[in-house]
Amino acid sequence: MIDAYYELTDPDDPRGEKFAASDHVISTWGAAMQNAAPVSALLVRALERCTPRDDTRISRVVVDLLGPVPVTDQLWVRPRVERPGTRIELIGAEMVAPGPGGQPRPVAKATAWRFQGANTDNLPPTPADPLRPVGEGIRRHPDDGTDRTYIQSLDWRWLNDILNSVVAECWARPLVDLVAGEPLTPTQRLFTVADIANGMGSRLEPAEWTFLNTDLAVHMHRLPEGEWIGVQSENHYGQDGVGVSRGTLFDESGSVAVIQQAQLVRRRPPPDVSSRGALP
């Protein structure tokens, strides 16, 4: 298996750049579907390459997952300019993959506001407190003997019990490339990690509940620096199966972005006990 989430197999395919996904993208919710983090990072890669300009940067990205993204060697990604402009532009990207009948269909999309830069050095700094240092985190070894999934593709440093804390905090960094042979940009690195906010601080037992996010919206007030991305996240649940995960993303100098995700919360069906004791 390659040491990357994806391999670029055909940059000139008429449908868009064509990629093959590795096992590093596999979701914990199912072996046939991708985790949202690699998907969103690959869409961000396309956004950054969409008519790039040195005097601009992405400010906000919204990723919508249109259904389970399959783990396949047939993924196409194509960007577009939605609303051109000098100071403000809206750009988009779409991921296409084979559907149940084999015909390609959109499986994820992203839009981003891209702003022209200006000198604002004298503005007040962010009021958000920084996360505790990476060195205070407890290392969680990715190679724990479980099946290979996206979770094992990260180097983790837990600052508290990220599964059961009301406000969960950790540091993480990818152990693999986004695309084989390509260095990560700061924004791509942020998105290889950002989606873990959805599972942090859930306080729900995954054997009893599912809490799948259908989107992620990230607003970046500055670009991250360094290898580590910090995540501080909390979850809010209604009584009708709808939840929201929200959090702050950090580098080692302080906060860089805020994230929010919609959740579909469902209780897992009880195990089928009708066959217990039955002869094979």
Side-chain angles (χ1 to χ4, degrees), residues 8-19 75-78:
L8 177 60
T9 57
D10 188 350
D12 301 314
D13 191 289
R15 290 195 179 99
E17 289 188 301
K18 186 177 181 182
F19 296 89
L75 293 168
W76 295 270
V77 179
R78 54 193 178 205

Side-chain angles (χ1 to χ4, degrees), residues 119-138:
N119 187 348
T120 53
D121 286 346
N122 294 326
L123 294 184
T126 173
D129 293 331
L131 275 188
R132 285 177 287 146
V134 176
E136 293 186 16
I138 298 173

Side-chain angles (χ1 to χ4, degrees), residues 226-241:
E227 292 186 332
W228 291 95
I229 301 297
V231 183
Q232 183 183 71
S233 180
E234 61 187 43
N235 285 268
H236 302 259
Y237 303 115
Q239 297 182 354
D240 56 357

Side-chain angles (χ1 to χ4, degrees), residues 173-194:
R173 61 179 176 180
L175 295 168
V176 300
D177 294 335
L178 174 60
V179 176
E182 292 184 8
L184 283 164
T185 68
T187 306
Q188 291 168 22
R189 182 178 297 278
L190 185 76
F191 276 83
T192 60
V193 172

